[in-house]
Amino acid sequence: MPEPASGPFVEQRWLLPSAVVKELDPDDERAGRRHRRTARDWVVDFSCFAVAVFFGLLSAEALEQEKLPEAVVALDQVVGALACAAVWLRRRWPLGLAVAMIPVAFLSATAGGASLVALFTLAVHRPFRAVAWVSGAALVVMPLFYWYRPDPEMPYGWTLFIGAVLTGAVVGWGMFVRSKRQLMLSLRDRARRAETEARLRAEQAQRLARESIAREMHDVLAHRLTLLSVHAGALEFRPDAPREEIVRAAGVIRESAHEALQDLREIIGVLRAGERDDTSRPQPTLGALEALVTECREAGMKVALDLRVTDPAAVPASVGRTAYRIAQEGLTNARKHAPGTEVTVTVTGGPGEGLDVCLRNPAPDGDVPPVPGSGQGLIGLTERATLTGGRLAHGPTADGGFEVRAWLPWG
């Protein structure tokens, strides 16, 4: 399993704001609770407090030139000191502090620095809509403040211009910091999504590989083992058969067992190596269909083959292999569920019109005991035909028999 994308960040959480650490590490044990300040948070908070105090001291020096009553000056400085102390609460209540600073800054000149810090915090932690409303209210109040408390050394227009530029710069800086944090979180989410998709693709590839191997094992081994079962049953129920028939049945059993072991060995080799060995036997195509029918006839089945394809070697390998597997599974099913009946295999088609494969057998003469696990082979054949781009249908016929019909594309 890949490590979470937040791993490297969590190890250096002191370099990041606590809000970012909380988003980068949602599975932390403190999930659902407010994260503690990191070392970076303490440095930034102290710097913001120092900025607020610095602006407050500059404003306190300017109070002496305004010639205000001592009570008003003292009240202004007390309110400014309280506003600077409230800066430490900016992370917990950014919107509330910014809104409260509007009337406070209107009454106290020494609270101007704390008001700018609160506006910067609001721009970092809240959406633009809230920032626009609060900053707009601050800009509306600013002309009234400088009208009844004008700067003795600067014209009224320049004072408003500098105040508006300073407010816009603080808001822009805060929004820039917020955009950087959102970019970091979006990259985190994109990395996690990519890791999840890669893991899902790997799991899907493993599942498809297992299904493909399962289909191969079912198609190949089921055919071989049913031949073994038929000839072993014949030897069991006819111990007095002529010697030639016993020798022939034993030869078919030996050959089928050898082929089954060889196929099983190839599949196990694929599982171990992860890919097919170049020395393995080639996959059967439509050209091997006649050999399959001959093998079934030697096993005692009645098979009628109607191959109407002029050049079976011209059929694409994937299409021919799928047609071969359909015929092989159909013959295996007929041998298990309708023993003794004649199976008709018809293959027609050509380039541009597709390849039609049809297997049909009549109803068996007597009752046939049910075979456990039946139906899995037909499901596998349907999947094979779908993967090739074709279709497959199967079901009982009107006379009580069974039919498997498939169409495969042949470009």
Side-chain angles (χ1 to χ4, degrees):
M1 296 287 290
E3 296 182 358
S6 59
F9 299 104
V10 176
E11 295 177 358
Q12 302 177 359
R13 64 174 65 237
W14 63 275
L15 290 174
L16 299 174
S18 57
V20 175
V21 173
K22 181 179 180 180
E23 294 294 334
L24 290 175
D25 190 21
D27 299 329
D28 186 72
E29 60 182 4
R30 290 184 295 272
R33 296 185 295 173
R34 188 172 61 88
H35 275 54
R36 296 180 179 179
R37 285 186 174 94
T38 61
R40 182 185 183 280
D41 290 340
W42 284 107
V43 173
V44 173
D45 290 346
F46 185 81
S47 301
C48 291
F49 176 74
V51 169
V53 172
F54 176 74
F55 276 94
L57 293 176
L58 292 180
S59 300
E61 293 181 1
L63 289 177
E64 299 178 357
Q65 302 177 4
E66 295 185 24
K67 299 179 181 180
L68 298 172
E70 294 184 0
V72 175
V73 174
L75 179 62
D76 190 304
Q77 294 178 350
V78 171
V79 173
L82 294 177
C84 292
V87 168
W88 292 98
L89 303 176
R90 66 188 188 92
R91 295 184 183 275
R92 182 171 295 185
W93 299 299
L95 179 59
L97 182 63
V99 172
M101 282 298 169
I102 295 177
V104 170
F106 182 78
L107 298 175
S108 173
T110 54
S115 177
L116 291 177
V117 172
L119 193 59
F120 169 77
T121 305
L122 180 66
V124 172
H125 293 280
R126 291 297 181 266
F128 176 75
R129 183 177 180 180
V131 179
W133 278 104
V134 176
S135 60
L139 291 176
V140 170
V141 172
M142 187 182 300
L144 299 177
F145 175 78
Y146 287 114
W147 177 74
Y148 86 91
R149 294 186 63 174
D151 192 313
E153 298 181 356
M154 189 177 297
Y156 179 73
W158 278 104
T159 304
L160 291 181
F161 176 74
I162 293 176
V165 169
L166 188 60
T167 301
V170 170
V171 171
W173 185 20
M175 294 181 62
F176 173 72
V177 173
R178 176 179 173 83
S179 65
K180 286 184 62 178
R181 293 184 180 182
Q182 290 179 338
L183 176 61
M184 182 184 298
L185 296 178
S186 65
L187 292 176
R188 184 283 316 264
D189 293 338
R190 186 179 302 176
R192 285 189 170 180
R193 192 179 305 112
E195 290 175 355
T196 302
E197 292 177 355
R199 185 169 62 253
L200 292 177
R201 285 195 298 268
E203 293 176 355
Q204 184 180 13
Q206 292 176 356
R207 179 177 58 81
L208 293 177
R210 288 195 296 266
E211 292 178 355
S212 177
I213 293 172
R215 284 194 297 266
E216 289 290 332
M217 292 183 66
H218 181 276
D219 295 342
V220 175
L221 297 182
H223 174 70
R224 303 295 181 190
L225 295 179
T226 52
L227 289 178
L228 288 174
S229 177
V230 169
H231 288 82
L235 293 178
E236 179 183 2
F237 289 103
R238 292 195 58 190
D240 56 345
R243 177 179 177 81
E244 292 77 8
E245 294 185 8
I246 295 177
V247 171
R248 184 171 61 85
V252 173
I253 292 175
R254 180 183 58 80
E255 185 65 22
S256 298
H258 177 73
E259 294 288 339
L261 289 175
Q262 183 67 19
D263 294 330
L264 184 60
R265 189 178 297 111
E266 288 184 11
I267 295 173
I268 294 176
V270 172
L271 290 175
R272 289 177 177 175
E275 56 185 8
R276 184 174 297 277
D277 190 3
D278 294 337
T279 60
S280 61
R281 292 182 302 172
Q283 289 289 314
T285 58
L286 189 62
L289 184 59
E290 294 183 356
L292 174 66
V293 172
T294 302
E295 182 183 15
C296 294
R297 288 171 178 169
E298 292 178 354
M301 286 190 66
K302 300 176 183 179
V303 183
L305 176 61
D306 186 7
L307 183 60
R308 303 179 189 175
V309 179
T310 306
D311 186 10
V315 180
S318 60
V319 176
R321 181 166 56 252
T322 303
Y324 178 89
R325 294 303 187 193
I326 292 173
Q328 184 183 52
E329 178 63 22
L331 293 173
T332 302
N333 289 339
R335 191 160 47 242
K336 292 189 298 183
H337 301 285
T341 60
E342 183 178 6
V343 185
T344 303
V345 181
T346 305
V347 181
T348 59
E353 62 183 56
L355 193 68
D356 289 306
V357 182
C358 179
L359 290 92
R360 178 179 299 181
N361 63 270
D365 295 335
D367 296 334
V368 179
V371 179
S374 59
Q376 299 299 320
L378 294 175
I379 296 176
L381 292 183
T382 304
E383 294 176 352
R384 280 182 179 273
T386 303
L387 291 175
T388 312
R391 55 184 179 271
L392 184 140
H394 56 82
T397 59
D399 58 354
F402 198 83
E403 182 182 65
V404 177
R405 182 177 294 276
W407 177 87
L408 304 175
W410 184 357

